[in-house]
Amino acid sequence: MKLDNKKFLMLASAAAIVLPVSVVSAATTTIDATATFRQAISLTPMADMQFGQIEFAATPTTGDTAALNTDGTMSYAGNFTGAASGTPGNVQINTGTDGETVEVSCDTTATMTDGSGASIQVTGIGIETEDNIDGTTGTPCAGTGTPSLTFNLDLGNTDNLILGGTLDGSTAVSFAGGSFSTDNAGGDDIEVQVVYQ
Amino acid sequence: MNRRFLKSLWMIPAFMLASLSLVTTASNADMPLKSSALSNTAAVQASAKFTQAASISVRHDSFQVPTIRSFLPVAYAIEKRATIKINGLSGETVVVSCQIEAVEGPHRYTDNSNVNQLDCNGGSTIEQQAVLSGSTIDRTVLLTSDMAPSQGIVSDSNVTIDIFYI
């Protein structure tokens, strides 16, 4: 009986020594580490959206609109008239990694005020890359965080984002003419956001 | 004592297996690098200047020539006095032009002081005027057409007056 215990003890000790050796060997498997470096995106507003001088024949109401297209042309309806062209908004992507997919989102509306209580909204704000501008207000913005454009970044060719929009007479409040801007007190500008997909 | 010893021996392989399992899990999985949320925002301003549109109110925008019975082609002066009102934003400058349609012969515009007498056709500029306070300007114009009327009626000759800001 004592002899049996000794044998068993020897066998068990041998097993305990052998087993850990094989387990430690499996744990030395190589682990790879990878990283992709992308240059941070930086934006610069290059041009504000300028509708220019707009003539109104009556107090603005529904149907009175002045549309500024991404190609700079303007079209009017209702009691609004004015110049044939304006300045669309322009945001430049200064830095980023070429070839990476980016998503662009923007505000759907903006509020211009005269700083004295009167206001009118820019609605139907749209956006396009510089190589896709046309006689429309652009691909409709859906609010920051909801992409309107998705494209592969190509700095030098698609790095300028052009914004259009429509002045909507139906949104006029306490309106009596004069100079209006989103930069005045109570105004709300147009925010453009670019993020890697 | 032997039982305790045996128990301790069984615990070694169990611990080893558990360790082996953990190591395997770690070695099989590539360490994912979370997508960077690198983004940026920019604000674009919008602006516009609203100006009340200039307009003209013409009290009489047409006139009728009475029937003239004449067998002689004699030049005949037809005059129409009309009052125009220029509406616009005070401080802005407007250009007024006029055109007389369906009347033959020279057409004249005369301002109320009878100083200026200009042709009035084809959209010629007849007046350049700064809109004054009150945003309206009254002008009396004399629209004259020298013509040799034929028998019959020349009527409803339209007088078109345009105005725009400069």
Side-chain angles (χ1 to χ4, degrees):
Chain A
M1 193 72 170
K2 270 191 178 178
L3 188 63
D4 287 342
N5 274 346
K6 273 187 181 174
K7 278 184 182 173
F8 182 79
L9 190 60
M10 285 177 65
L11 283 171
S13 300
I17 291 168
V18 170
L19 261 178
V21 168
S22 65
V23 168
V24 169
S25 169
T28 59
T29 301
T30 303
I31 298 173
D32 293 324
T34 60
T36 302
F37 290 90
R38 295 185 296 200
Q39 189 169 15
I41 294 171
S42 63
L43 307 177
T44 299
M46 300 299 289
D48 290 330
M49 191 182 290
Q50 295 177 9
F51 288 86
Q53 183 162 304
I54 296 172
E55 297 177 18
F56 62 100
T59 302
T61 186
T62 302
D64 299 335
T65 58
L68 174 56
N69 300 314
T70 54
D71 63 0
T73 59
M74 291 196 66
S75 56
Y76 303 90
N79 286 313
F80 284 167
T81 57
S85 63
T87 304
N90 186 335
V91 171
Q92 187 176 57
I93 303 175
N94 285 324
T95 60
T97 300
D98 271 349
E100 291 289 328
T101 303
V102 295
E103 294 177 343
V104 179
S105 60
C106 41
D107 285 335
T108 58
T109 63
T111 302
M112 301 194 305
T113 74
D114 65 353
S116 301
S119 66
I120 188 168
Q121 286 192 348
V122 183
T123 62
I125 295 172
I127 194 165
E128 289 293 353
T129 54
E130 61 186 309
D131 57 337
N132 279 318
I133 59 174
D134 55 19
T136 71
T137 53
T139 301
C141 295
T144 51
T146 303
S148 293
L149 299 178
T150 301
F151 60 93
N152 292 330
L153 189 59
D154 183 9
L155 292 174
N157 292 311
T158 61
D159 55 340
N160 280 284
L161 305 172
I162 313 300
L163 291 118
T166 301
L167 277 173
D168 187 349
S170 69
T171 64
V173 176
S174 303
F175 189 93
S179 295
F180 284 67
S181 173
T182 55
D183 208 20
N184 289 335
D188 181 22
D189 54 26
I190 305 162
E191 190 169 292
V192 177
Q193 185 179 61
V194 181
V195 61
Y196 285 120
Q197 192 176 49
Chain B
M1 182 151 179
N2 284 340
R3 277 183 194 166
R4 252 187 246 158
F5 179 76
L6 284 172
K7 267 188 182 175
S8 64
L9 284 179
W10 281 114
M11 288 176 67
I12 294 172
F15 170 76
M16 293 280 182
L17 285 173
S19 300
L20 184 65
S21 171
L22 285 173
V23 171
T24 303
T25 302
S27 62
N28 284 347
D30 289 333
M31 194 178 289
L33 296 177
K34 185 174 171 58
S35 234
S36 172
L38 291 176
S39 67
N40 207 335
T41 59
V44 174
Q45 306 293 339
S47 63
K49 181 183 179 184
F50 289 90
T51 305
Q52 186 177 359
S55 64
I56 287 181
S57 303
V58 182
R59 192 169 297 165
H60 304 286
D61 61 356
S62 65
F63 58 95
Q64 189 175 52
V65 178
T67 301
I68 301 170
R69 298 291 180 185
S70 173
F71 295 101
L72 298 173
V74 178
Y76 191 84
I78 302 170
E79 295 184 349
K80 176 66 179 179
R81 186 171 293 275
T83 299
I84 62 172
K85 177 178 283 187
I86 301 172
N87 307 298
L89 192 66
S90 181
E92 297 289 338
T93 300
V94 295
V95 166
V96 181
S97 62
C98 65
Q99 186 173 12
I100 300 174
E101 299 172 350
V103 175
E104 297 176 354
H107 314 134
R108 303 290 183 193
Y109 160 88
T110 307
D111 71 10
N112 57 347
S113 64
N114 282 327
V115 174
N116 297 313
Q117 183 167 307
L118 303 170
D119 287 343
C120 181
N121 54 50
S124 303
T125 297
I126 59 172
E127 186 174 8
Q128 181 169 314
Q129 177 68 52
V131 179
L132 304 177
S133 60
S135 75
T136 59
I137 294 175
D138 286 315
R139 283 286 183 273
T140 299
V141 295
L142 188 64
L143 303 172
T144 302
S145 177
D146 298 318
M147 60 178 292
S150 59
Q151 288 183 333
I153 296 175
V154 177
S155 63
D156 292 335
S157 300
N158 292 321
V159 179
T160 303
I161 300 177
D162 297 319
I163 183 171
F164 57 90
Y165 287 117
I166 59 172

